[in-house]
Amino acid sequence: MKQELIRNFCIIAHIDHGKSTLADRLLEFTGVINKNMKAEQILDDMELEKERGITIKSHAIRLPYKFEGKTYQFNLIDTPGHVDFSYEVSRSLASCDGALLLIDAAQGIEAQTMSNLYLAMENDLEIIPVINKIDLPKADVEGTIHEVVENIGVDESMIMQVSAKVGTGVEGLMKAIVKHIPEPKGDFQKPAQALIFDSFFDTYRGVIVLVRLYDGILRKGEAIKLFSTEKTYNIEEIGHLGLKKEPAEKLSAGEVGYIVANIKEVADARVGDTITSLENGCETALPGFQEPKPMVFSGIFPMNGEDYQDLRDRLAKLKLNDAALVYEPENSMALGFGFRCGFLGMLHLEIIKERLFREYNVPIIATTPSVRFIINLTDGSSKVVNNPVDFPDPVRIDHVMEPFMDVEIIVPTEYVGNIMKIVQDRRGIQKDMQYIDEKRVSLHYEMPLIEIIFDFYDRIKSLSRGYASLDYQFKDYRKSKIVKVDMLINGEKVDAMSFMCHQDKAYSWGKSITDKLKDVIPRHLFKIALQASIGAKIIARSTINAMRKNVTAKCYGGDITRKRKLLEKQKEGKKRMKEIGSVAVPQEAFLEVLKADRD
């Protein structure tokens, strides 16, 4: 295919701005799918994606488009919309030459829209702003156009208006893609250089990698090399991406396609890596490659101990399709054998938990999420800790470094006060405040990651009636007063409930958890003390009162001393029972710890 007839582009948008719906209309308009097909969000093929209305995995597809007597090849590279998957978005953008910036006419520009826009600009992409949902009664098309012109600085004539749901304006958008998105500029004579922008595991064929070729040609049967692992493979099949894979003899510079090369693990074909020919390959890799860095850590344990091996097998299968998931075996006194898992963020954690339950039917318990702290010890060494169990003795600690994030919140002006209060409560440091227009404000903060992962997103959504949007990215590690809080039930430490937090939050978090446990742990025949402690110091306590049997019921008439004697005997029995009795902690108690209020 001639390069002048190829257009590589993606759609970038905030969650729920209609990205997958617009992709469906483009597929229909180019005849890839029939208009009578009832399926919606064709590229979101995971049940969870359809249910939540979000794109979790990026997708790519080739669309043929006839215009002015020529047949163009559009390569649409769909991208995830959530902040947790920003690295995947950046690699998808790197494989494109242009981007459709999709904006909801009723909601305007959101935080993640701007974040992805900056990523697109860094990759020097041609941006076509597209205002969607123009048919909605609440649509403010004029206001959104003004907002786009002010924020992005594009000419008003470049802004397209569509309704992805009914297909209005899609034809004009297709013409704009041909006119404004540049053709790829690759040299066929140079050594092959291809970017992996996605990979997934096929049970029968191994890892299938999706690539964009920048230079050179890759052919079926050719030996290839991956830069990051320096492993070599032979191309068994190569081709283009339609609704089904379309095998071909070669991929040339500027084209997007797939490669099957008997790669055994997704971790060997990492997103962002470079593929080249083994003989006469390119000297340098394409820039921007990073190892996926887990930000949130949680212990995952099977509800039934006998499911441990099953859980191990299921996690291994999930890992084949998700290189960002990391896990290692862990043992807990309370929950038995399980795994310590690392995730890109809280959404990633929720999705893995859902998939384990739905796709593999493994009921699990997840412990309190944590982040990675760097602990500098008094002997001059340092230790990276993401599990409260590994937290050293406070006597040995010199200081602790915790991760801080750059946070952007876009919110309507009437809710600014509510948002500022909750960010302040969560140790946020305000950097600046910019008015996007008379209705909305962009707030920039630096915040500890530990404060963001606990229901922060849900809280700002509820405080702003759903209008606030959030984007964040890692900034640096800073010195902080981090302590480990142990939860004690009847004087016994329950390691699965321990957590790390800032010293100032230890009491409120500890008290919140003891109060939650008081409601879910059933009453026993003896009093149960629920305590939160830092080392030997008890900082919060709740008490579950004992169930009391009426031992004086059989005692009728006679002297009061007879009743007292029975009550004293009962008291002694309860005391002895407390010393030797164990507390039955139901599974719900571990789930309730996650729901405890963290403000």
Side-chain angles (χ1 to χ4, degrees), residues 143-404:
T144 310
I145 290 172
H146 174 70
E147 200 179 328
V148 171
V149 172
E150 286 287 311
N151 281 276
I152 303 167
V154 295
D155 191 80
E156 198 171 314
S157 60
M158 276 282 288
I159 301 171
M160 307 302 296
Q161 297 179 33
V162 302
S163 168
K165 192 167 187 179
V166 296
T168 310
V170 172
E171 187 174 358
L173 178 59
M174 300 291 275
K175 291 174 183 174
I177 291 169
V178 172
K179 288 178 182 173
H180 299 301
I181 291 179
E183 64 193 63
K185 294 176 175 62
D187 191 336
F188 297 101
Q189 307 305 319
K190 283 187 178 179
Q193 193 180 41
L195 172 76
I196 300 175
F197 63 85
D198 198 10
S199 60
F200 56 91
F201 187 79
D202 183 281
T203 311
Y204 303 104
R205 317 199 65 188
V207 178
I208 298 174
V209 292
L210 308 187
V211 296
R212 149 79 193 267
L213 241 77
Y214 280 87
D215 290 314
I217 298 170
L218 285 174
R219 291 183 172 84
K220 184 179 178 180
E222 190 176 348
I224 54 169
K225 180 182 88 170
L226 277 73
F227 264 84
S228 70
T229 56
E230 296 192 345
K231 291 190 177 179
T232 59
Y233 301 95
N234 281 331
I235 298 176
E236 292 181 355
E237 185 177 305
I238 195 166
H240 301 105
L241 296 155
L243 268 183
K244 293 180 179 174
K245 293 173 191 63
E246 299 163 6
E249 285 303 309
K250 63 177 183 178
L251 282 178
S252 308
E255 290 191 304
V256 172
Y258 71 94
I259 293 173
V260 180
N262 199 23
I263 302 170
K264 295 286 190 293
E265 290 188 26
V266 170
D268 293 340
R270 296 163 184 167
V271 171
D273 199 2
T274 304
I275 292 178
T276 189
S277 304
L278 185 59
E279 290 182 20
N280 304 317
C282 62
E283 297 287 319
T284 56
L286 291 158
F289 172 70
Q290 292 175 12
E291 293 280 356
K293 292 190 184 81
M295 300 298 287
V296 175
F297 297 83
S298 177
I300 286 185
F301 295 86
M303 277 195 178
N304 305 314
E306 58 267 25
D307 289 341
Y308 172 74
Q309 192 57 47
D310 212 15
L311 179 60
R312 178 192 281 276
D313 297 342
R314 302 308 179 228
L315 279 172
K317 282 192 177 178
L318 277 179
K319 171 80 175 165
L320 288 173
N321 266 320
D322 189 347
L325 170 67
V326 295
Y327 66 92
E328 57 184 31
E330 182 185 15
N331 186 18
S332 162
M333 294 288 286
L335 297 174
F337 291 101
F339 297 91
R340 190 77 186 166
C341 302
F343 306 93
L344 296 172
M346 286 302 283
L347 179 71
H348 192 202
L349 165 59
E350 281 180 43
I351 286 160
I352 295 296
K353 280 164 61 178
E354 283 281 331
R355 290 185 68 187
L356 280 170
F357 184 66
R358 287 189 189 195
E359 295 174 26
Y360 302 113
N361 198 25
V362 181
I364 56 162
I365 293 173
T367 60
T368 310
S370 182
V371 301
R372 183 178 273 145
F373 296 103
I374 299 172
I375 300 176
N376 294 290
L377 304 171
T378 48
D379 62 5
S381 63
S382 64
K383 182 179 181 181
V384 176
V385 170
N386 59 56
N387 190 342
V389 173
D390 301 327
F391 200 81
D393 189 327
V395 178
R396 294 175 52 219
I397 297 172
D398 182 54
H399 64 274
V400 182
M401 308 283 284
E402 79 169 315
F404 267 70

Side-chain angles (χ1 to χ4, degrees), residues 472-510:
Y472 59 87
Q473 57 189 22
F474 176 73
K475 184 170 177 62
D476 54 23
Y477 274 89
R478 296 184 188 175
K479 197 171 175 179
S480 192
K481 293 177 180 175
I482 299 297
V483 293
K484 174 193 173 188
V485 179
D486 289 309
M487 301 307 299
L488 286 78
I489 297 178
N490 213 24
E492 294 287 325
K493 276 186 192 176
V494 183
D495 57 351
M497 291 182 183
S498 298
F499 60 90
M500 296 177 285
C501 71
H502 192 270
Q503 190 175 300
D504 296 347
K505 296 290 182 85
Y507 168 73
S508 59
W509 287 22

Side-chain angles (χ1 to χ4, degrees), residues 34-47:
N34 190 323
K35 287 187 181 181
N36 298 323
M37 282 175 71
K38 292 293 179 196
E40 292 181 357
Q41 293 151 14
I42 301 291
L43 297 183
D44 290 349
D45 49 11
M46 210 185 287
E47 186 187 333

Side-chain angles (χ1 to χ4, degrees), residues 8-249:
N8 299 324
F9 67 96
C10 61
I11 306 172
I12 54 178
H14 189 75
I15 293 170
D16 204 32
H17 277 210
K19 180 158 55 71
S20 298
T21 309
L22 179 61
D24 286 354
R25 295 298 81 76
L26 296 177
L27 293 173
E28 278 178 11
F29 193 82
T30 53
V32 174
I33 60 171
N34 190 323
K35 287 187 181 181
N36 298 323
M37 282 175 71
K38 292 293 179 196
E40 292 181 357
Q41 293 151 14
I42 301 291
L43 297 183
D44 290 349
D45 49 11
M46 210 185 287
E47 186 187 333
L48 264 172
E49 291 183 312
K50 286 184 170 27
E51 188 178 295
R52 286 173 176 249
I54 57 174
T55 301
I56 295 165
K57 284 289 287 174
S58 62
H59 298 262
I61 194 162
R62 184 169 72 150
L63 313 170
Y65 175 56
K66 290 180 181 174
F67 179 61
E68 294 181 348
K70 298 175 183 174
T71 301
Y72 288 85
Q73 186 188 102
F74 286 1
N75 289 309
L76 166 59
I77 297 165
D78 197 15
T79 58
H82 197 276
V83 64
D84 280 4
F85 305 107
S86 57
Y87 176 63
E88 271 199 21
V89 173
S90 76
R91 295 305 84 208
S92 295
L93 293 175
S95 56
C96 297
D97 302 301
L100 307 182
L101 179 69
L102 196 63
I103 300 155
D104 187 327
Q107 294 184 26
I109 293 174
E110 304 273 24
Q112 279 165 242
T113 318
M114 293 304 291
S115 173
N116 291 341
L117 173 64
Y118 295 143
L119 277 175
M121 287 174 166
E122 280 173 28
N123 285 287
D124 205 23
L125 302 190
E126 184 66 37
I127 309 291
I128 300 178
V130 183
I131 295 173
N132 189 22
K133 306 187 185 180
I134 57 171
D135 55 331
L136 285 182
K138 286 178 70 179
D140 178 12
V141 178
E142 289 302 316
T144 310
I145 290 172
H146 174 70
E147 200 179 328
V148 171
V149 172
E150 286 287 311
N151 281 276
I152 303 167
V154 295
D155 191 80
E156 198 171 314
S157 60
M158 276 282 288
I159 301 171
M160 307 302 296
Q161 297 179 33
V162 302
S163 168
K165 192 167 187 179
V166 296
T168 310
V170 172
E171 187 174 358
L173 178 59
M174 300 291 275
K175 291 174 183 174
I177 291 169
V178 172
K179 288 178 182 173
H180 299 301
I181 291 179
E183 64 193 63
K185 294 176 175 62
D187 191 336
F188 297 101
Q189 307 305 319
K190 283 187 178 179
Q193 193 180 41
L195 172 76
I196 300 175
F197 63 85
D198 198 10
S199 60
F200 56 91
F201 187 79
D202 183 281
T203 311
Y204 303 104
R205 317 199 65 188
V207 178
I208 298 174
V209 292
L210 308 187
V211 296
R212 149 79 193 267
L213 241 77
Y214 280 87
D215 290 314
I217 298 170
L218 285 174
R219 291 183 172 84
K220 184 179 178 180
E222 190 176 348
I224 54 169
K225 180 182 88 170
L226 277 73
F227 264 84
S228 70
T229 56
E230 296 192 345
K231 291 190 177 179
T232 59
Y233 301 95
N234 281 331
I235 298 176
E236 292 181 355
E237 185 177 305
I238 195 166
H240 301 105
L241 296 155
L243 268 183
K244 293 180 179 174
K245 293 173 191 63
E246 299 163 6
E249 285 303 309

Side-chain angles (χ1 to χ4, degrees), residues 409 411-412 414-415 418-419 422 426 454-470 597 599:
I409 301 168
V411 63
E414 63 262 39
Y415 305 115
N418 295 346
I419 300 299
I422 187 172
R426 302 223 174 179
F454 289 108
D455 74 0
F456 180 66
Y457 183 70
D458 295 337
R459 291 299 302 276
I460 67 166
K461 278 287 184 190
S462 60
L463 287 171
S464 63
R465 297 187 183 176
Y467 287 110
S469 64
L470 170 73
D597 192 4
D599 284 337

